[in-house]
Every structure is written in C-alpha cells, then in structure tokens.
Amino acid sequence: MATDPNAIDPNSIDPNSIDPKATVPLPVPVFDSHCHLDMLEMTVAEAVTRAQAAGIARIMTIGCDVPSSEWAARTAAEHADVYAGVAIHPNEAKNVSDETLEVIAGLARQPKVVAVGETGLDYYRDHAGKDDQQRSFRAHVAIAKETGKALVIHDRDAHDDVLRLLDEEGAPDKVVFHCFSGDAAMARICSDKGYVMSFAGNVTFKNAQPLRDALAAAPLDLILVETDAPFMTPVPHRGKPNSSDLIPHTVRLMAEVKGVEVDALCTAIAATGRRLFGFGG
C-alpha cells in the first residue's frame, strides 16, 4: 500500500501548534482503541460520558493478566459503548500456564471481547524472559486465529522478533500494533503486510519526530488512535493522567502530519474500527 501522496513533511510539524486551551470535540466520532479503564481515577460511566462529549464514541479497555482481563470482559458486557481486549501482557508472561491461556481463550470468545491483547514482546523490561514471552505470544496468536478476534500487540524494543514470530505462526487476518513505536521503515513493513498501526499521545511529544515520520509513512486505512490511558498523555496535557476525552489533541496533530482534514482522518479511523472490531466511531 502506498504512502498517502498528500502527506506533508512531518519535520515541519510543531506539536505545540495544537490549541492548548481546550479539547475541541471531533467533527466525526472515532473511538479509543486502547485504554485501561481499570487504572483511571474515575468511574467507567464518567469516562464514557467525558469521552463522548469530546467525540469519542466508544472505548476499548484492555486486560494485561487474568484479573484485569476478566474485569475488562465484564465491564464491556455491562456498558454499551465499552469493548474489551483480553490477554497476558508480555511483562506478566513468566511461566504462564496452559490453564491461564485457556482462561484467556474462553474470555476471548465472549461477544463484546473484540481483541486478543495486549500481548507481544517487551525487551525493554526483564519481568519475563524472552523464551516465556515468545511462548505466550505464540499462544495468543493461536487464540486470535481460533476466535477470529483482532490481535493487539505490545512491541517494545522487539520489532524484529515480533515480525518474525508473526511470520512463523502465520499472522491473524487482523493485527494491530498498539502504541506504535517503530520508525518509518517499520511502518512500511507493517503497511506491506496489512498490519494496523495505532498511535498514542506520545506522537505529539516534541522529541517524537521519528514517530511522526512513521505516521507519515503509514497509509490512512491502516491507522488507529488510542490513549493507552492513563499513560501517554498528549501535549498540551503531558504530565497529567490521560483519558479518552483527550484524544482530539492527538487526532488533530495526526491529521496535520498526514496532510488531511480532521474529518477525513476520523472517517478513516472509524472505517478501520468497523473492519477490525465490528464498530466504528
């Protein structure tokens, strides 16, 4: 897939040019593709209400272990505009048992669980060894394929091995790199393979030019936006807890990098949501 021919030079983007005074609602509803609602200092109902006031119609809350995955699945079942991803995070993959993986597989079969993740590899931290992480990741790839759910990948300092294992196992039809952290070359590899890249608030950081270069290289139909809340808070709120209602800051910076109108980017994100998860904005 070709890079968007209308994209402007991302080196010309000043993240501080985005209006710092207010979160202006988006003109076309999108969704938060990756959030940890269980970690926020507000109720789920408040988080959803605030998000929808900002043009964020739905939230995907993500599990990282069995308790948080069970919470995510239950919360999605209880709230119309909340969906869930379930998995064992690579940092939690030490000696993960077959029984634990079967619990995740069972949760993944629930109707409002639309993703298997976040799974993947994290070589930045050493909470779990590489062998344990890779075994767990391979198992999650199999669960995603068996259930038909999207695979949501945590990839930190492990690009080569993540791509290799996807090739070895045979990637699911729907793959998302959460909080995409690769460069433009990595973005082009993902584009060639049809992998979706989800960008978080760190794309707005002053020192994130390589990430903006990657965004510029990513096709419009392979882009999502997320918070990873309460982490990755976008400029101008960096340093405060993140939440879904702050996504408009990220989206507007992304649209500027891509050289498209905000409503066009939102429409593309919503279409990708329908394709991957069965819902859009």
Side-chain angles (χ1 to χ4, degrees), residues 101 119-121 131-145 151 161 164-169:
L101 292 167
T119 180
L121 303 176
D131 287 346
D132 280 338
Q133 289 189 46
Q134 292 184 18
R135 174 178 173 270
S136 178
F137 184 37
R138 290 181 192 272
H140 282 82
V141 171
I143 292 169
K145 290 197 289 187
L151 182 73
D161 276 356
R164 175 178 61 82
L165 292 181
L166 286 173
D167 285 344
E168 289 178 1
E169 296 299 311

Side-chain angles (χ1 to χ4, degrees), residues 195-227:
Y195 300 158
V196 173
M197 292 154 274
S198 183
F199 290 86
N202 56 336
V203 76
T204 71
F205 296 176
K206 184 176 181 180
N207 64 351
Q209 190 57 51
L211 196 54
R212 290 188 286 278
D213 293 340
L215 172 59
L220 203 59
D221 63 345
L222 292 178
I223 292 172
L224 289 178
V225 66
E226 65 175 82
T227 55

